[in-house]
Amino acid sequence: MRNAPDAENSADSADSADSLQEPVPHQPTVPAPGPQRRPEPAGRPDGGVLRLDLRIPVPATRGHDQSSQNQSSQPDGADQDGWQIAVTVCLPAQPSPSAAGPGTDGLETGGLEPGGSAAGGSGPGVPVLVGLPGGGYARRYFDLPEPGYSQAEHHVHRGAVVVMVDHLGVGESSVPPTEVTDLPTVAAAGHHAVTAVVDGLRSGTLAPGVGPVGVSAVIGMGQSMGGHILAAMQAHHRTFDGVAILGSSMTATTIPWRPGTAGPVIPEGSSPDEAMAVVLASADWIYAFFWDDVPESLVRADSTGGLPGRRTAPVWGSTTYPGLTGAEVLPAGVAEAAASIDVPVLFATGTRDVTGPPLTELAAFGSATDLAWFVAPRMAHMHNFAGTRHLLWNRLDAFAAQVTGPRTTRLW
């Protein structure tokens, strides 16, 4: 197992962040089998959200080719049952007097009205928003513990179900060797996990006390590296009814530099790992990741263990990366996948982000049935830390409402 290359930054020598959980060494383990209702950290109310921590078994197969030849061998890092993908499902925690019996905790259908809808079709029910985190981050990036910083709570309060995923090779999911976790393999594992969760929601078999949930649409939200994985999931597996690409370049990841400083020059002929090493060693990650008004306590909590490669990680971070990360700094690493996406696309960035010129990025989605670009003001690459984060979350709510309405079909 290879940890991501580390980059020194000015926050590495900072004292421990006050009022937030200390970064702790990451251990690549998975939750205990079966659904768990996660106890909230001391002093943090549940926010009216039921959080179910799950581990989802997925086939230990390489890439998006699910042939019998691939299934006959077991890749490194997989046990006899395959790999495990750690997810957290967030639903409204609405008490129901009709719920009864051991294990229900007085909850029924997670506070949602039971109902059904055809797979892949619009109809009664609620949208399911699937959060795919970026490099160095894990699924709880979408559920930050600081009051007012949980994107999951925001969407659940507006009637959605939120599913947060640790990619294969990240966080509490299985961590195979990095030579195994290329983009097709990570995308295939993510597709299997998301499909299993959505099927469990629809059938009412996801967890005790959570009855059938009508699902009107499944929408992927991929931040940074998560956007590349999202594009591959949609291109190869058609996992989603709509995709939101958040601070993720489909043409060439471009790190922003402070005014008056020059970016690095990647030598011609560099391998993906060599190019990534040049960028990691040169970038000012605090400037790239955080707008100037982000509270210092949050910046310190996120960066004290290193960025983007981490020696230690906060609860929303990961010290491990999948092996696909090197190719992302090179031009057009995921352009082919983006070009094949034929569902509605929201391309959203902060004012200071790692994406290329807007029209160049939008042109990558040549098959999209609907295409929108949103820029959040006073926001850097790590969107959920920004003071303007709610503007992005509101735009995602509107996108979900659009996707759950009448579907658009290409006419050419």
Side-chain angles (χ1 to χ4, degrees):
M1 174 171 54
R2 179 193 68 186
N3 287 353
D6 192 19
E8 295 299 325
N9 57 71
S10 58
D12 282 351
S13 60
D15 295 334
S16 302
D18 49 6
S19 76
L20 290 171
Q21 181 167 338
E22 294 288 336
V24 296
H26 170 76
Q27 297 181 352
T29 58
V30 296
Q36 301 175 340
R37 286 174 170 80
R38 176 176 14 126
E40 294 304 315
R44 182 191 183 189
D46 65 12
V49 174
L50 169 65
R51 294 168 171 88
L52 298 174
D53 284 344
L54 311 170
R55 67 175 185 179
I56 307 298
V58 301
T61 53
R62 295 294 301 272
H64 55 82
D65 178 6
Q66 302 299 314
S67 66
S68 58
Q69 179 180 359
N70 275 346
Q71 294 180 5
S72 64
S73 61
Q74 184 170 290
D76 291 341
D79 60 28
Q80 62 181 357
D81 297 320
W83 291 318
Q84 304 284 336
I85 299 298
V87 306
T88 298
V89 181
C90 300
L91 309 105
Q94 176 178 315
S96 173
S98 62
T104 64
D105 292 340
L107 295 164
E108 189 173 67
T109 69
L112 295 169
E113 292 298 323
S117 62
S122 61
V126 298
V128 174
L129 306 183
V130 179
L132 304 173
Y137 292 83
R139 66 191 190 277
R140 293 189 178 100
Y141 164 79
F142 298 99
D143 190 25
L144 296 174
E146 185 76 357
Y149 283 81
S150 171
Q151 182 179 355
E153 287 186 5
H154 171 95
H155 295 310
V156 169
H157 292 163
R158 285 151 182 80
V161 172
V162 175
V163 178
M164 308 178 297
V165 180
D166 279 354
H167 307 292
L168 182 68
V170 169
E172 294 178 319
S173 289
S174 297
V175 182
T178 53
E179 59 267 24
V180 172
T181 51
D182 56 18
L183 184 58
T185 301
V186 173
H191 167 74
H192 283 293
V194 171
T195 300
V197 170
V198 173
D199 288 348
L201 285 168
R202 285 185 164 126
S203 64
T205 59
L206 184 67
V210 179
V213 174
V215 176
S216 57
V218 183
I219 299 161
M221 306 183 299
Q223 198 273 335
S224 194
M225 179 188 76
H228 299 129
I229 296 170
L230 170 58
M233 290 172 69
Q234 189 64 22
H236 299 308
H237 305 283
R238 301 185 62 84
T239 313
F240 304 102
D241 300 303
V243 298
I245 306 293
L246 310 177
S248 181
S249 176
M250 299 293 109
T251 58
T253 299
T254 306
I255 305 299
W257 305 95
R258 290 185 187 273
T261 62
V265 176
I266 297 176
E268 184 176 354
S270 296
S271 70
D273 282 347
E274 290 168 342
M276 182 173 65
V278 172
V279 173
L280 288 172
S282 306
D284 181 344
W285 296 106
I286 299 300
Y287 177 79
F289 279 18
F290 308 103
W291 200 258
D292 300 343
D293 62 354
V294 176
E296 178 64 21
S297 60
L298 283 175
V299 175
R300 292 167 60 197
D302 192 47
S303 61
T304 295
L307 280 179
R310 297 185 188 270
R311 297 179 300 279
T312 60
V315 295
W316 57 83
S318 174
T319 60
T320 57
Y321 276 62
L324 61 93
T325 53
E328 296 174 17
V329 302
L330 299 181
V334 288
E336 183 177 353
S340 71
I341 295 174
D342 60 355
V343 297
V345 174
L346 171 64
F347 186 82
T349 72
T351 307
R352 186 165 71 221
D353 221 315
V354 302
T355 53
L359 294 181
T360 302
E361 295 283 359
L362 293 178
F365 300 98
S367 300
T369 57
D370 188 281
L371 183 58
W373 171 44
F374 177 78
V375 180
R378 302 183 303 283
M379 176 181 285
H381 180 56
M382 298 316 300
H383 304 159
N384 284 355
F385 294 93
T388 56
R389 59 196 176 278
H390 290 91
L391 298 178
L392 174 60
W393 299 349
N394 289 338
R395 183 64 183 87
L396 288 164
D397 292 333
F399 180 65
Q402 170 197 342
V403 173
T404 57
R407 301 294 166 81
T408 304
T409 303
R410 288 185 60 85
L411 300 178
W412 63 90

